[in-house]
Amino acid sequence: MSAHAPTMADQYNINEEKILKDRHAKEIDLINRDPKQINEDVVKVDFEDVIAEPDGTHSLDGVWKASYTTFTVSKYWCYRVLSAVFGIPVALLWGFCFACISFCHIWAVMPCIKSYLIETQCLSRIYSLCIHTFCDPLFEALGKIFSSVRVALRKEV
């Protein structure tokens, strides 16, 4: 068997396969799960953001510590259980929803906008032709009529 150098077509096919593979197998960051910080101010809630005791109204220290631990642990595990049970089905629903939105935008909205722009371009040319035909001569004549008018302002005291 003779080894041959890859042709340009072979190299193109290899690159095409890499691009297709990369699109669907994107690496995700398991540490920073909100890289665009879309939930920074909305759902980042700690114990101190929800429960606070003003000066002069304090519970027992043990109760305060237990409340803090209970709040933090229950929030953590409740979120984990809910995301384990509903995360994949909800992700499927949102994926379907955004796929439908993308489909409508690509196949309905943009063609309608493009069609509208084509039609309005035609109408704007007709409108421009009418303005230049009828209004330009009228305003030129009015300009010539009023070009000899002189205005003098006097301030009387």
Side-chain angles (χ1 to χ4, degrees):
M1 254 199 244
S2 65
H4 71 286
T7 64
M8 192 176 216
D10 292 335
Q11 191 64 33
Y12 176 78
N13 288 336
I14 291 169
N15 288 340
E16 183 80 14
E17 288 173 13
K18 284 182 184 176
I19 291 170
L20 289 175
K21 183 180 176 185
D22 289 345
R23 266 192 212 143
H24 300 293
K26 180 181 175 186
E27 289 292 324
I28 60 170
D29 187 355
L30 293 176
I31 304 300
N32 182 10
R33 297 187 183 190
D34 190 7
K36 295 182 181 179
Q37 299 178 344
I38 61 173
N39 292 313
E40 189 64 28
D41 297 328
V42 181
V43 293
K44 188 177 177 183
V45 178
D46 292 324
F47 179 76
E48 298 85 10
D49 298 326
V50 178
I51 300 172
E53 292 180 332
D55 289 336
T57 310
H58 287 185
S59 61
L60 299 172
D61 290 347
V63 171
W64 186 252
K65 288 178 185 178
S67 298
Y68 174 82
T69 304
T70 303
F71 177 89
T72 306
V73 171
S74 64
K75 183 183 95 164
Y76 176 80
W77 280 107
C78 183
Y79 178 79
R80 288 212 130 176
V81 169
L82 287 172
S83 63
V85 173
F86 297 110
I88 293 174
V90 171
L92 179 69
L93 289 173
W94 281 117
F96 179 75
C97 178
F98 282 105
C100 290
I101 291 170
S102 297
F103 177 82
C104 289
H105 185 77
I106 291 167
W107 292 99
V109 174
M110 287 310 294
C112 286
I113 290 172
K114 189 65 174 179
S115 172
Y116 173 77
L117 291 174
I118 290 169
E119 293 300 320
T120 56
Q121 185 179 18
C122 178
L123 292 174
S124 73
R125 286 184 180 164
I126 293 170
Y127 176 77
S128 177
L129 181 65
C130 290
I131 292 296
H132 289 304
T133 303
F134 299 112
C135 293
D136 284 357
L138 172 67
F139 289 117
E140 250 182 70
L142 288 174
K144 287 181 181 178
I145 290 171
F146 292 113
S147 66
S148 61
V149 174
R150 303 281 181 237
V151 176
L153 294 176
R154 292 185 203 167
K155 186 174 182 181
E156 294 183 23
V157 180

